[in-house]
Amino acid sequence: MPNIPDISDEGENELYEHHAFRVVAGQQPLRIDKYLMNFIENATRNKIQAAAKDGSIFVNDVPVKSNYKVKPNDYITVKFEHPPHENLLIAEDIPIDVVYEDDDLLVVNKPAGMVVHPGHGNYSGTLINGLIFHFENLPNNSSERPGLVHRIDKDTSGLLVVAKTEQAMAHLSNQFAKKTSEREYVALVWGNIEEDEGTIEGNIGRHPKNRLQNTVFLEDEEEQGKPAVTHFKVLERLGYVTLVSCKLETGRTHQIRVHMKHIGHTLFNDERYGGERILKGTTFTKYKQFVENCFKILPRQALHAKTLGFVHPTTGEFMKFESEIPEDIAQCVEKWRQYAKHA
């Protein structure tokens, strides 16, 4: 990330850009501390106000206070005198569930709750921190992240392939770019999906009013997102929820979570996209208690990267790996299965 010269009177220190946002047209006037809470993950209002007090929040290259009201097309940057933490990788002795390994690559089964790479609010304990401890000289991808060919969300569990050589990185990354890799996820979603199977198409991009979410852009707004295609198949109908298999043709951030919400079937307990509320069902108190118990068993979005297939970069052999549904999802599905049986 390029260094940004200090624009303060002293002019002695360099500032590093940690976050940058362009305010969308049509944005209503809003205090910048409130605005940034929708754009910086894990940031509290107190932290944002402290950054403004330190002179670290800029609008159009001018430092502002926390009561500044953002306007359409404002260019907001948050800058500090140190590089972003995600650029400072520290090796950590973190156990990694390695499903397969050879000289070119490894396949790991990531648990829910583990962040794949360092970012705002998660500077340690990530998969990459563990990888660079256990494996030397991993090649960097285009984002300078060692070994990483693709990623899955923090609270999504399942399979990832990691490159150990430059050749493997290039070969595997090309497969993901050309959509020749195979990725199947299992998800529990709100509502009864009437079709046995189908395809969801819709360009995905950052939500204009909440940067922590992505959304689908259609027709005249298509250019605001990137093409995304998800194929789904119903595995089991459980009354007010449905267990589905989702195969990715593309790999956009939050793709399954966004696409399923787009067709009216938000992932069960997906807090970021509203799935932690009771979206389908009855008004009975007993039902509410049942759902809350399910949330306790599965305190995350119900999404697991179950199958991963790709061509080996050296042997040319097609390799396919599967991981079991983790206990928290399995228990939650079983509770719904019993509920549906007696409802």
Side-chain angles (χ1 to χ4, degrees):
M1 195 169 286
N3 296 350
I4 297 178
D6 192 337
I7 59 173
S8 64
D9 292 337
E10 291 80 14
E12 294 174 359
N13 300 321
E14 285 186 322
L15 291 183
Y16 295 82
E17 182 180 293
H18 285 234
H19 306 279
F21 314 104
R22 174 75 68 181
V23 180
V24 297
Q27 171 67 48
Q28 297 298 312
L30 182 66
R31 282 177 58 114
I32 198 165
D33 52 358
K34 289 185 176 181
Y35 179 83
L36 287 177
M37 284 179 68
N38 287 329
F39 285 76
I40 302 179
E41 191 168 4
N42 299 328
T44 64
R45 194 168 175 188
N46 284 342
K47 284 183 181 178
I48 293 169
Q49 288 174 341
K53 190 174 181 180
D54 291 342
S56 299
I57 298 179
F58 300 79
V59 175
N60 306 323
D61 282 337
V62 177
V64 298
K65 299 300 181 186
S66 57
N67 62 354
Y68 173 85
K69 292 193 174 179
V70 299
K71 301 184 295 294
N73 297 314
D74 274 350
Y75 185 65
I76 301 171
T77 49
V78 182
K79 306 175 188 178
F80 297 103
E81 291 180 13
H82 57 84
H85 284 83
E86 52 263 41
N87 293 352
L88 307 173
L89 291 177
I90 300 169
E92 296 179 74
D93 186 3
I94 299 168
I96 296 174
D97 182 5
V98 177
V99 176
Y100 171 85
E101 181 185 359
D102 60 27
D103 291 340
D104 298 289
L105 57 88
L106 60 140
V107 176
V108 302
N109 192 21
K110 186 191 82 67
M114 176 184 274
V115 177
V116 172
H117 58 77
H120 183 81
N122 295 291
Y123 304 127
S124 64
T126 75
L127 178 63
I128 282 187
N129 293 116
L131 286 172
I132 62 175
F133 179 91
H134 295 288
F135 304 95
E136 295 182 355
N137 303 316
L138 291 175
N140 281 338
N141 65 12
S142 59
S143 301
E144 302 297 314
R145 287 166 178 157
L148 215 59
V149 178
H150 60 124
R151 60 178 291 276
I152 56 179
D153 298 329
K154 172 185 175 182
D155 288 325
T156 299
S157 52
L159 297 173
L160 286 164
V161 61
V162 175
K164 293 173 70 176
T165 68
E166 297 283 356
Q167 180 208 356
M169 175 67 77
H171 196 285
L172 290 165
S173 297
N174 190 51
Q175 291 182 58
F176 278 80
K178 291 189 173 179
K179 310 170 188 173
T180 57
S181 61
E182 183 179 325
R183 285 170 290 169
E184 179 192 4
Y185 291 70
V186 171
L188 186 68
V189 302
W190 279 108
N192 177 38
I193 300 178
E194 293 183 3
E195 307 90 344
D196 289 338
E197 55 187 83
T199 296
I200 310 166
E201 296 185 61
N203 288 16
I204 290 177
R206 289 286 188 189
H207 195 293
K209 293 186 177 178
N210 186 343
R211 194 175 172 82
L212 302 183
Q213 290 187 5
N214 281 356
T215 191
V216 172
F217 293 96
L218 299 171
E219 299 175 352
D220 294 343
E221 297 181 325
E222 272 189 349
E223 72 282 353
Q224 295 183 51
K226 293 181 179 179
V229 180
T230 304
H231 306 284
F232 70 85
K233 183 177 182 179
V234 170
L235 299 176
E236 192 173 356
R237 293 186 173 87
L238 300 166
Y240 299 124
V241 295
T242 305
L243 189 66
V244 293
S245 160
C246 294
K247 288 191 175 181
L248 293 183
E249 193 172 304
T250 53
R252 307 302 174 207
T253 300
H254 299 174
Q255 178 170 321
I256 292 172
R257 301 164 71 182
V258 172
H259 267 173
M260 294 310 293
K261 179 176 182 177
H262 179 65
I263 65 167
H265 296 286
T266 304
L267 264 64
F268 186 78
N269 210 10
D270 188 349
E271 184 176 357
R272 184 163 296 186
Y273 290 93
E276 85 288 7
R277 299 191 298 272
I278 298 176
L279 299 181
K280 299 289 181 181
T282 74
T283 57
F284 297 138
T285 304
K286 279 189 176 180
Y287 174 74
K288 181 182 178 184
Q289 186 61 56
F290 164 78
V291 174
E292 287 175 352
N293 288 338
C294 288
F295 287 157
K296 287 176 184 175
I297 291 171
L298 181 64
R300 63 173 177 113
Q301 70 258 13
L303 185 61
H304 176 68
K306 182 177 183 293
T307 305
L308 178 62
F310 52 84
V311 174
H312 192 281
T314 300
T315 67
E317 174 191 0
F318 185 79
M319 306 183 76
K320 189 171 180 178
F321 301 89
E322 296 216 1
S323 67
E324 289 187 8
I325 305 296
E327 191 64 21
D328 56 356
I329 293 181
Q331 284 188 20
C332 184
V333 168
E334 183 57 31
K335 277 188 76 72
W336 275 104
R337 197 173 280 137
Q338 295 303 317
Y339 182 89
K341 190 183 294 182
H342 296 105

mmCIF file of all heavy atoms in Angstrom, residues 173-207:
data_model
loop_
_atom_site.group_PDB
_atom_site.id
_atom_site.type_symbol
_atom_site.label_atom_id
_atom_site.label_comp_id
_atom_site.label_asym_id
_atom_site.label_seq_id
_atom_site.Cartn_x
_atom_site.Cartn_y
_atom_site.Cartn_z
ATOM 1 N N SER A 173 -4.602 -20.374 -8.892
ATOM 2 C CA SER A 173 -5.318 -19.100 -9.017
ATOM 3 C C SER A 173 -5.995 -18.994 -10.374
ATOM 4 O O SER A 173 -7.114 -18.478 -10.490
ATOM 5 C CB SER A 173 -4.357 -17.926 -8.818
ATOM 6 O OG SER A 173 -3.819 -17.937 -7.516
ATOM 7 N N ASN A 174 -5.322 -19.514 -11.415
ATOM 8 C CA ASN A 174 -5.887 -19.491 -12.765
ATOM 9 C C ASN A 174 -7.143 -20.354 -12.846
ATOM 10 O O ASN A 174 -8.126 -19.981 -13.505
ATOM 11 C CB ASN A 174 -4.838 -19.976 -13.769
ATOM 12 C CG ASN A 174 -5.275 -19.756 -15.206
ATOM 13 O OD1 ASN A 174 -5.683 -18.657 -15.575
ATOM 14 N ND2 ASN A 174 -5.181 -20.792 -16.010
ATOM 15 N N GLN A 175 -7.140 -21.490 -12.145
ATOM 16 C CA GLN A 175 -8.329 -22.344 -12.140
ATOM 17 C C GLN A 175 -9.520 -21.646 -11.488
ATOM 18 O O GLN A 175 -10.653 -21.736 -11.973
ATOM 19 C CB GLN A 175 -8.036 -23.653 -11.396
ATOM 20 C CG GLN A 175 -7.073 -24.577 -12.109
ATOM 21 C CD GLN A 175 -6.877 -25.865 -11.344
ATOM 22 O OE1 GLN A 175 -7.842 -26.591 -11.077
ATOM 23 N NE2 GLN A 175 -5.637 -26.170 -10.988
ATOM 24 N N PHE A 176 -9.259 -20.953 -10.386
ATOM 25 C CA PHE A 176 -10.350 -20.235 -9.720
ATOM 26 C C PHE A 176 -10.842 -19.094 -10.610
ATOM 27 O O PHE A 176 -12.046 -18.828 -10.678
ATOM 28 C CB PHE A 176 -9.886 -19.720 -8.355
ATOM 29 C CG PHE A 176 -9.933 -20.761 -7.278
ATOM 30 C CD1 PHE A 176 -8.928 -21.711 -7.160
ATOM 31 C CD2 PHE A 176 -10.995 -20.816 -6.386
ATOM 32 C CE1 PHE A 176 -8.975 -22.684 -6.176
ATOM 33 C CE2 PHE A 176 -11.059 -21.788 -5.403
ATOM 34 C CZ PHE A 176 -10.047 -22.729 -5.297
ATOM 35 N N ALA A 177 -9.916 -18.399 -11.283
ATOM 36 C CA ALA A 177 -10.303 -17.285 -12.154
ATOM 37 C C ALA A 177 -11.118 -17.771 -13.350
ATOM 38 O O ALA A 177 -12.073 -17.111 -13.776
ATOM 39 C CB ALA A 177 -9.056 -16.533 -12.634
ATOM 40 N N LYS A 178 -10.767 -18.935 -13.876
ATOM 41 C CA LYS A 178 -11.442 -19.471 -15.063
ATOM 42 C C LYS A 178 -12.646 -20.353 -14.707
ATOM 43 O O LYS A 178 -13.248 -20.976 -15.584
ATOM 44 C CB LYS A 178 -10.446 -20.252 -15.928
ATOM 45 C CG LYS A 178 -9.404 -19.356 -16.594
ATOM 46 C CD LYS A 178 -8.585 -20.116 -17.613
ATOM 47 C CE LYS A 178 -7.679 -19.160 -18.390
ATOM 48 N NZ LYS A 178 -6.852 -19.896 -19.388
ATOM 49 N N LYS A 179 -12.954 -20.431 -13.402
ATOM 50 C CA LYS A 179 -14.145 -21.143 -12.920
ATOM 51 C C LYS A 179 -14.095 -22.638 -13.194
ATOM 52 O O LYS A 179 -15.121 -23.279 -13.388
ATOM 53 C CB LYS A 179 -15.421 -20.545 -13.540
ATOM 54 C CG LYS A 179 -15.530 -19.039 -13.419
ATOM 55 C CD LYS A 179 -16.681 -18.522 -14.257
ATOM 56 C CE LYS A 179 -16.689 -17.002 -14.321
ATOM 57 N NZ LYS A 179 -17.687 -16.480 -15.253
ATOM 58 N N THR A 180 -12.883 -23.220 -13.206
ATOM 59 C CA THR A 180 -12.777 -24.657 -13.441
ATOM 60 C C THR A 180 -12.638 -25.443 -12.133
ATOM 61 O O THR A 180 -12.697 -26.665 -12.148
ATOM 62 C CB THR A 180 -11.577 -24.988 -14.364
ATOM 63 O OG1 THR A 180 -10.382 -24.477 -13.767
ATOM 64 C CG2 THR A 180 -11.771 -24.377 -15.740
ATOM 65 N N SER A 181 -12.429 -24.736 -11.022
ATOM 66 C CA SER A 181 -12.389 -25.433 -9.732
ATOM 67 C C SER A 181 -13.818 -25.803 -9.326
ATOM 68 O O SER A 181 -14.786 -25.238 -9.820
ATOM 69 C CB SER A 181 -11.749 -24.548 -8.661
ATOM 70 O OG SER A 181 -12.512 -23.367 -8.478
ATOM 71 N N GLU A 182 -13.929 -26.758 -8.426
ATOM 72 C CA GLU A 182 -15.247 -27.190 -7.966
ATOM 73 C C GLU A 182 -15.396 -26.844 -6.484
ATOM 74 O O GLU A 182 -14.563 -27.236 -5.666
ATOM 75 C CB GLU A 182 -15.401 -28.707 -8.161
ATOM 76 C CG GLU A 182 -16.773 -29.236 -7.782
ATOM 77 C CD GLU A 182 -16.911 -30.733 -8.007
ATOM 78 O OE1 GLU A 182 -16.321 -31.238 -8.992
ATOM 79 O OE2 GLU A 182 -17.582 -31.403 -7.195
ATOM 80 N N ARG A 183 -16.444 -26.107 -6.164
ATOM 81 C CA ARG A 183 -16.680 -25.728 -4.767
ATOM 82 C C ARG A 183 -18.159 -25.911 -4.439
ATOM 83 O O ARG A 183 -19.016 -25.304 -5.064
ATOM 84 C CB ARG A 183 -16.278 -24.269 -4.536
ATOM 85 C CG ARG A 183 -14.785 -24.040 -4.462
ATOM 86 C CD ARG A 183 -14.442 -22.567 -4.473
ATOM 87 N NE ARG A 183 -14.715 -21.970 -5.776
ATOM 88 C CZ ARG A 183 -14.711 -20.668 -5.999
ATOM 89 N NH1 ARG A 183 -14.493 -19.839 -4.998
ATOM 90 N NH2 ARG A 183 -14.947 -20.202 -7.209
ATOM 91 N N GLU A 184 -18.411 -26.763 -3.455
ATOM 92 C CA GLU A 184 -19.783 -26.992 -3.019
ATOM 93 C C GLU A 184 -19.891 -26.660 -1.533
ATOM 94 O O GLU A 184 -19.065 -27.075 -0.725
ATOM 95 C CB GLU A 184 -20.201 -28.443 -3.237
ATOM 96 C CG GLU A 184 -21.632 -28.726 -2.777
ATOM 97 C CD GLU A 184 -21.958 -30.202 -2.713
ATOM 98 O OE1 GLU A 184 -21.056 -31.030 -2.948
ATOM 99 O OE2 GLU A 184 -23.118 -30.535 -2.412
ATOM 100 N N TYR A 185 -20.920 -25.902 -1.191
ATOM 101 C CA TYR A 185 -21.196 -25.526 0.189
ATOM 102 C C TYR A 185 -22.531 -26.119 0.610
ATOM 103 O O TYR A 185 -23.412 -26.338 -0.224
ATOM 104 C CB TYR A 185 -21.294 -23.998 0.329
ATOM 105 C CG TYR A 185 -19.996 -23.254 0.142
ATOM 106 C CD1 TYR A 185 -19.383 -23.171 -1.101
ATOM 107 C CD2 TYR A 185 -19.393 -22.600 1.215
ATOM 108 C CE1 TYR A 185 -18.194 -22.470 -1.284
ATOM 109 C CE2 TYR A 185 -18.211 -21.897 1.056
ATOM 110 C CZ TYR A 185 -17.617 -21.831 -0.196
ATOM 111 O OH TYR A 185 -16.449 -21.147 -0.356
ATOM 112 N N VAL A 186 -22.670 -26.352 1.913
ATOM 113 C CA VAL A 186 -23.962 -26.736 2.479
ATOM 114 C C VAL A 186 -24.426 -25.587 3.356
ATOM 115 O O VAL A 186 -23.649 -25.046 4.162
ATOM 116 C CB VAL A 186 -23.858 -28.044 3.287
ATOM 117 C CG1 VAL A 186 -25.150 -28.305 4.044
ATOM 118 C CG2 VAL A 186 -23.546 -29.213 2.362
ATOM 119 N N ALA A 187 -25.692 -25.180 3.193
ATOM 120 C CA ALA A 187 -26.231 -24.040 3.942
ATOM 121 C C ALA A 187 -27.630 -24.372 4.455
ATOM 122 O O ALA A 187 -28.386 -25.102 3.810
ATOM 123 C CB ALA A 187 -26.280 -22.795 3.052
ATOM 124 N N LEU A 188 -27.940 -23.830 5.618
ATOM 125 C CA LEU A 188 -29.304 -23.876 6.143
ATOM 126 C C LEU A 188 -29.875 -22.472 5.995
ATOM 127 O O LEU A 188 -29.274 -21.504 6.480
ATOM 128 C CB LEU A 188 -29.309 -24.307 7.613
ATOM 129 C CG LEU A 188 -30.690 -24.526 8.257
ATOM 130 C CD1 LEU A 188 -31.375 -25.744 7.647
ATOM 131 C CD2 LEU A 188 -30.562 -24.688 9.773
ATOM 132 N N VAL A 189 -31.004 -22.354 5.292
ATOM 133 C CA VAL A 189 -31.557 -21.032 5.000
ATOM 134 C C VAL A 189 -32.978 -20.924 5.529
ATOM 135 O O VAL A 189 -33.680 -21.922 5.722
ATOM 136 C CB VAL A 189 -31.547 -20.748 3.475
ATOM 137 C CG1 VAL A 189 -30.140 -20.853 2.918
ATOM 138 C CG2 VAL A 189 -32.498 -21.676 2.718
ATOM 139 N N TRP A 190 -33.397 -19.681 5.774
ATOM 140 C CA TRP A 190 -34.768 -19.426 6.211
ATOM 141 C C TRP A 190 -35.752 -19.667 5.065
ATOM 142 O O TRP A 190 -35.484 -19.292 3.920
ATOM 143 C CB TRP A 190 -34.905 -17.992 6.687
ATOM 144 C CG TRP A 190 -34.422 -17.743 8.090
ATOM 145 C CD1 TRP A 190 -33.296 -17.069 8.467
ATOM 146 C CD2 TRP A 190 -35.075 -18.137 9.297
ATOM 147 N NE1 TRP A 190 -33.192 -17.032 9.839
ATOM 148 C CE2 TRP A 190 -34.278 -17.678 10.378
ATOM 149 C CE3 TRP A 190 -36.250 -18.845 9.584
ATOM 150 C CZ2 TRP A 190 -34.619 -17.890 11.706
ATOM 151 C CZ3 TRP A 190 -36.597 -19.067 10.900
ATOM 152 C CH2 TRP A 190 -35.790 -18.599 11.955
ATOM 153 N N GLY A 191 -36.896 -20.258 5.398
ATOM 154 C CA GLY A 191 -37.983 -20.395 4.431
ATOM 155 C C GLY A 191 -37.953 -21.708 3.671
ATOM 156 O O GLY A 191 -36.944 -22.422 3.650
ATOM 157 N N ASN A 192 -39.050 -22.024 3.047
ATOM 158 C CA ASN A 192 -39.181 -23.237 2.236
ATOM 159 C C ASN A 192 -38.923 -22.886 0.778
ATOM 160 O O ASN A 192 -39.694 -22.161 0.152
ATOM 161 C CB ASN A 192 -40.583 -23.833 2.392
ATOM 162 C CG ASN A 192 -40.780 -25.053 1.516
ATOM 163 O OD1 ASN A 192 -39.865 -25.848 1.348
ATOM 164 N ND2 ASN A 192 -41.963 -25.185 0.928
ATOM 165 N N ILE A 193 -37.818 -23.371 0.224
ATOM 166 C CA ILE A 193 -37.514 -23.126 -1.185
ATOM 167 C C ILE A 193 -38.369 -24.063 -2.029
ATOM 168 O O ILE A 193 -38.239 -25.292 -1.935
ATOM 169 C CB ILE A 193 -36.016 -23.346 -1.482
ATOM 170 C CG1 ILE A 193 -35.166 -22.395 -0.629
ATOM 171 C CG2 ILE A 193 -35.729 -23.135 -2.967
ATOM 172 C CD1 ILE A 193 -33.674 -22.565 -0.827
ATOM 173 N N GLU A 194 -39.235 -23.513 -2.826
ATOM 174 C CA GLU A 194 -40.203 -24.331 -3.566
ATOM 175 C C GLU A 194 -39.547 -25.131 -4.690
ATOM 176 O O GLU A 194 -39.893 -26.284 -4.928
ATOM 177 C CB GLU A 194 -41.311 -23.441 -4.126
ATOM 178 C CG GLU A 194 -42.181 -22.821 -3.032
ATOM 179 C CD GLU A 194 -43.315 -21.995 -3.589
ATOM 180 O OE1 GLU A 194 -43.450 -21.956 -4.847
ATOM 181 O OE2 GLU A 194 -44.074 -21.402 -2.809
ATOM 182 N N GLU A 195 -38.586 -24.517 -5.404
ATOM 183 C CA GLU A 195 -37.930 -25.232 -6.497
ATOM 184 C C GLU A 195 -36.948 -26.253 -5.929
ATOM 185 O O GLU A 195 -36.280 -25.999 -4.937
ATOM 186 C CB GLU A 195 -37.158 -24.257 -7.406
ATOM 187 C CG GLU A 195 -37.980 -23.084 -7.918
ATOM 188 C CD GLU A 195 -37.925 -21.869 -7.000
ATOM 189 O OE1 GLU A 195 -37.506 -22.040 -5.842
ATOM 190 O OE2 GLU A 195 -38.304 -20.779 -7.428
ATOM 191 N N ASP A 196 -36.831 -27.405 -6.584
ATOM 192 C CA ASP A 196 -35.860 -28.416 -6.142
ATOM 193 C C ASP A 196 -34.426 -27.969 -6.420
ATOM 194 O O ASP A 196 -33.508 -28.353 -5.701
ATOM 195 C CB ASP A 196 -36.116 -29.754 -6.854
ATOM 196 C CG ASP A 196 -37.397 -30.420 -6.348
ATOM 197 O OD1 ASP A 196 -37.831 -30.094 -5.223
ATOM 198 O OD2 ASP A 196 -37.961 -31.252 -7.085
ATOM 199 N N GLU A 197 -34.252 -27.199 -7.472
ATOM 200 C CA GLU A 197 -32.927 -26.667 -7.785
ATOM 201 C C GLU A 197 -33.080 -25.435 -8.655
ATOM 202 O O GLU A 197 -34.152 -25.165 -9.212
ATOM 203 C CB GLU A 197 -32.059 -27.717 -8.479
ATOM 204 C CG GLU A 197 -32.654 -28.341 -9.725
ATOM 205 C CD GLU A 197 -31.789 -29.486 -10.232
ATOM 206 O OE1 GLU A 197 -31.923 -30.612 -9.720
ATOM 207 O OE2 GLU A 197 -30.957 -29.223 -11.134
ATOM 208 N N GLY A 198 -32.001 -24.673 -8.767
ATOM 209 C CA GLY A 198 -32.067 -23.453 -9.570
ATOM 210 C C GLY A 198 -30.728 -22.751 -9.624
ATOM 211 O O GLY A 198 -29.736 -23.197 -9.033
ATOM 212 N N THR A 199 -30.702 -21.647 -10.349
ATOM 213 C CA THR A 199 -29.482 -20.850 -10.504
ATOM 214 C C THR A 199 -29.795 -19.400 -10.182
ATOM 215 O O THR A 199 -30.813 -18.856 -10.639
ATOM 216 C CB THR A 199 -28.943 -20.954 -11.950
ATOM 217 O OG1 THR A 199 -28.555 -22.308 -12.203
ATOM 218 C CG2 THR A 199 -27.729 -20.055 -12.151
ATOM 219 N N ILE A 200 -28.938 -18.792 -9.382
ATOM 220 C CA ILE A 200 -29.083 -17.377 -9.024
ATOM 221 C C ILE A 200 -27.992 -16.600 -9.748
ATOM 222 O O ILE A 200 -26.804 -16.912 -9.615
ATOM 223 C CB ILE A 200 -28.948 -17.161 -7.505
ATOM 224 C CG1 ILE A 200 -29.857 -18.122 -6.738
ATOM 225 C CG2 ILE A 200 -29.269 -15.718 -7.142
ATOM 226 C CD1 ILE A 200 -29.535 -18.196 -5.256
ATOM 227 N N GLU A 201 -28.416 -15.599 -10.527
ATOM 228 C CA GLU A 201 -27.459 -14.728 -11.212
ATOM 229 C C GLU A 201 -27.738 -13.293 -10.815
ATOM 230 O O GLU A 201 -28.890 -12.869 -10.750
ATOM 231 C CB GLU A 201 -27.569 -14.890 -12.728
ATOM 232 C CG GLU A 201 -27.203 -16.281 -13.222
ATOM 233 C CD GLU A 201 -27.211 -16.367 -14.741
ATOM 234 O OE1 GLU A 201 -26.423 -15.638 -15.373
ATOM 235 O OE2 GLU A 201 -28.021 -17.151 -15.279
ATOM 236 N N GLY A 202 -26.692 -12.549 -10.543
ATOM 237 C CA GLY A 202 -26.847 -11.148 -10.178
ATOM 238 C C GLY A 202 -25.510 -10.581 -9.765
ATOM 239 O O GLY A 202 -24.805 -11.172 -8.928
ATOM 240 N N ASN A 203 -25.121 -9.469 -10.373
ATOM 241 C CA ASN A 203 -23.828 -8.862 -10.064
ATOM 242 C C ASN A 203 -23.759 -8.463 -8.596
ATOM 243 O O ASN A 203 -24.705 -7.893 -8.048
ATOM 244 C CB ASN A 203 -23.596 -7.631 -10.940
ATOM 245 C CG ASN A 203 -23.302 -8.005 -12.382
ATOM 246 O OD1 ASN A 203 -23.548 -9.140 -12.794
ATOM 247 N ND2 ASN A 203 -22.758 -7.070 -13.143
ATOM 248 N N ILE A 204 -22.631 -8.747 -7.965
ATOM 249 C CA ILE A 204 -22.454 -8.470 -6.539
ATOM 250 C C ILE A 204 -21.390 -7.396 -6.340
ATOM 251 O O ILE A 204 -20.330 -7.436 -6.960
ATOM 252 C CB ILE A 204 -22.072 -9.759 -5.774
ATOM 253 C CG1 ILE A 204 -23.264 -10.712 -5.712
ATOM 254 C CG2 ILE A 204 -21.560 -9.446 -4.375
ATOM 255 C CD1 ILE A 204 -22.964 -12.044 -5.045
ATOM 256 N N GLY A 205 -21.707 -6.440 -5.458
ATOM 257 C CA GLY A 205 -20.758 -5.378 -5.121
ATOM 258 C C GLY A 205 -21.045 -4.858 -3.728
ATOM 259 O O GLY A 205 -22.009 -5.285 -3.072
ATOM 260 N N ARG A 206 -20.237 -3.921 -3.271
ATOM 261 C CA ARG A 206 -20.413 -3.336 -1.949
ATOM 262 C C ARG A 206 -21.765 -2.639 -1.837
ATOM 263 O O ARG A 206 -22.185 -1.929 -2.744
ATOM 264 C CB ARG A 206 -19.310 -2.312 -1.668
ATOM 265 C CG ARG A 206 -17.929 -2.909 -1.443
ATOM 266 C CD ARG A 206 -17.821 -3.564 -0.097
ATOM 267 N NE ARG A 206 -16.464 -3.968 0.203
ATOM 268 C CZ ARG A 206 -16.107 -4.702 1.228
ATOM 269 N NH1 ARG A 206 -17.040 -5.145 2.057
ATOM 270 N NH2 ARG A 206 -14.851 -5.033 1.433
ATOM 271 N N HIS A 207 -22.416 -2.849 -0.701
ATOM 272 C CA HIS A 207 -23.671 -2.144 -0.441
ATOM 273 C C HIS A 207 -23.370 -0.650 -0.335
ATOM 274 O O HIS A 207 -22.449 -0.247 0.375
ATOM 275 C CB HIS A 207 -24.280 -2.655 0.865
ATOM 276 C CG HIS A 207 -25.714 -2.267 1.048
ATOM 277 N ND1 HIS A 207 -26.115 -0.957 1.243
ATOM 278 C CD2 HIS A 207 -26.839 -3.022 1.061
ATOM 279 C CE1 HIS A 207 -27.430 -0.921 1.376
ATOM 280 N NE2 HIS A 207 -27.894 -2.157 1.261
#
